[in-house]
Amino acid sequence: MRLTRFTDLALRVLMRLAVEEGELPTTREVAAAMNVPYTHAAKAVAKLQHLGLIEARRGRGGVLAPTPTARRASIGTLARELEGPGDVVDCDGTTPCPLRTACRLRGALRQAQEAFFTSLDPLTVSDLVESPTGPLLLALSPTRVVG
């Protein structure tokens, strides 16, 4: 099973925010720390905000903060939500598979996908940011210049 880059980035953004101890970061700072384009980070931030996991204050001095429920969020539930509905394989795409009406593979792959997500259900964001990950996430953050 492979997650999309969007899901990977959204989970990493949430992990980064979950370990914040000092000054809250901006979307640009999180993007820089994660070594991704600002636009990709902004899209992930918007989705996480829509899911109620982060608060984003816009404008000058705008920062990101995890909501009280963010650290307790299930990774399996988040992965399902971020990945969205759909099968592991696209049997009905531009060139539909000739087996799609009687294929047993599609169902087996759907079961495997659910087993993958189920194995992530007990993990929370807090679990993922325990040492050594949390300190490393903090060390990746650029130093903010005030003035």
Side-chain angles (χ1 to χ4, degrees):
M1 180 70 213
R2 183 179 183 135
L3 297 176
T4 61
R5 286 185 178 156
F6 175 76
T7 297
D8 174 50
L9 176 58
L11 291 172
R12 287 189 288 142
V13 167
L14 193 55
M15 289 168 61
R16 171 58 188 87
L17 296 176
V19 297
E20 186 54 53
E21 296 172 340
E23 209 170 314
L24 296 172
T26 66
T27 302
R28 285 200 189 283
E29 290 167 343
V30 170
M34 297 293 118
N35 198 26
V36 297
Y38 167 78
T39 54
H40 294 185
K43 184 178 174 184
V45 163
K47 181 66 174 184
L48 292 169
Q49 187 177 15
H50 175 75
L51 294 174
L53 296 169
I54 64 171
E55 295 173 356
R57 289 180 234 135
R58 304 185 95 173
R60 185 163 173 78
V63 293
L64 304 174
T67 63
T69 60
R71 288 177 183 84
R72 296 186 316 266
S74 161
I75 300 302
T77 300
L78 284 172
R80 282 183 193 88
E81 187 67 37
L82 294 166
E83 288 291 301
D87 289 321
V88 176
V89 293
D90 184 11
C91 300
D92 301 315
T94 55
T95 308
C97 176
L99 302 175
R100 72 185 180 281
T101 58
C103 183
R104 297 178 68 190
L105 177 61
R106 187 181 204 172
L109 292 174
R110 201 175 288 133
Q111 283 181 322
Q113 180 183 35
E114 184 52 34
F116 174 77
F117 291 137
T118 299
S119 72
L120 296 173
D121 282 341
L123 289 172
T124 65
V125 173
S126 288
D127 294 330
L128 296 182
V129 298
E130 289 179 3
S131 190
T133 306
L136 179 59
L137 283 165
L138 287 172
L140 293 175
S141 298
T143 303
R144 185 179 293 180
V145 177
V146 180

